[in-house]
Amino acid sequence: RFLAAVGAAGWPVMKLKQVHSEIVCEMHDTSAANDPVEGDASVTALAGVVLAIQTADCVPILLADSQSRAVAAIHTGWRGTAAHISEATVRRLREEFEIDPKNLTAFIGPHIGVCCYEVGAEVEQAITEPGAFEHRTEWAKPHLNLAEANRQQLLSSGIPAEQVETSALCTCCRADLFYSYRREGNRSGRMLSVIGIAP
């Protein structure tokens, strides 16, 4: 029903076994629809298939080439962000499909916001993008802005700022709309973000 609602009824869903890595997988065929591939980002030039990632506080990022030559889906938490998976994905699109980053549009979906994402010193040391952390007197520890860190990586990769859209919705705050691992723990469900190329 969900795929039908987004115009992709019957399309194979290309799955990932997400492990909080910097691994970018190229989907050459539809085998991943039955046998998930280990990684946290996928790219494809296949039409009529869906790239899918699951999140429950981590950041879902969808990339589309304006010429409809390739698409990508990224799952990233703080570890993937520290490993620069967003940059790695754009680089893979450029190398495999000769995509010019200036022709990419990026959407950073709902994720845990800086309002709720308290982190420790090891995270603050691992992520170096400008504006990635906020410090307030009422907060005992720094808070990480995952979206901003990844936005900076996308800009560094050559995507124009006006072609990067970021959701302002916080998955942890909005219990009425989203699952949140930080809020619900192991019982949390997952959201699905998908992208594909129409045949």
Side-chain angles (χ1 to χ4, degrees):
R1 190 167 15 173
F2 169 68
L3 291 180
V6 297
W11 293 19
V13 179
M14 314 295 275
K15 303 170 185 174
L16 291 172
K17 185 190 295 182
Q18 298 170 191
V19 291
H20 294 276
S21 69
E22 75 285 0
I23 300 171
V24 182
C25 305
E26 183 179 348
M27 302 300 187
H28 297 284
D29 54 44
T30 60
S31 59
N34 299 312
D35 187 17
V37 181
E38 185 172 291
D40 287 275
S42 56
V43 300
T44 194
L46 293 174
V49 303
V50 166
L51 300 182
I53 52 169
Q54 298 180 76
T55 57
D57 284 338
C58 288
V59 181
I61 303 174
L62 304 176
L63 304 176
D65 169 51
S66 62
Q67 308 303 311
S68 298
R69 295 170 55 202
V71 292
I74 306 168
H75 156 264
T76 182
W78 77 262
R79 289 180 178 84
T81 301
H84 294 261
I85 192 170
S86 292
E87 290 178 340
T89 304
V90 175
R91 184 165 57 250
R92 190 71 176 269
L93 287 169
R94 193 176 65 240
E95 293 170 354
E96 298 293 335
F97 309 116
E98 298 182 350
I99 298 296
D100 185 340
K102 292 185 176 62
N103 293 329
L104 289 173
T105 296
F107 175 67
I108 301 173
H111 56 280
I112 189 168
V114 68
C115 50
C116 295
Y117 199 14
E118 180 183 273
V119 296
E122 75 283 4
V123 177
E124 192 170 23
Q125 292 167 5
I127 295 174
T128 59
E129 281 71 27
F133 295 93
E134 287 189 21
H135 301 80
R136 297 184 188 175
T137 54
E138 64 267 29
W139 292 344
K141 296 181 179 179
H143 283 217
L144 172 58
N145 189 330
L146 269 177
E148 180 58 21
N150 283 279
R151 191 184 78 88
Q152 291 293 335
Q153 291 184 21
L154 295 171
L155 299 184
S156 296
S157 298
I159 303 179
E162 63 272 16
Q163 290 164 212
V164 180
E165 182 177 347
T166 303
S167 171
L169 295 171
C170 172
T171 51
C172 192
C173 285
R174 295 300 302 270
D176 58 322
L177 293 176
F178 305 113
Y179 296 116
S180 168
Y181 186 85
R182 179 154 292 208
R183 187 182 64 239
E184 301 164 358
N186 289 331
R187 65 188 179 87
S188 173
R190 297 292 186 271
M191 282 84 69
L192 191 70
S193 297
V194 300
I195 192 168
I197 303 172

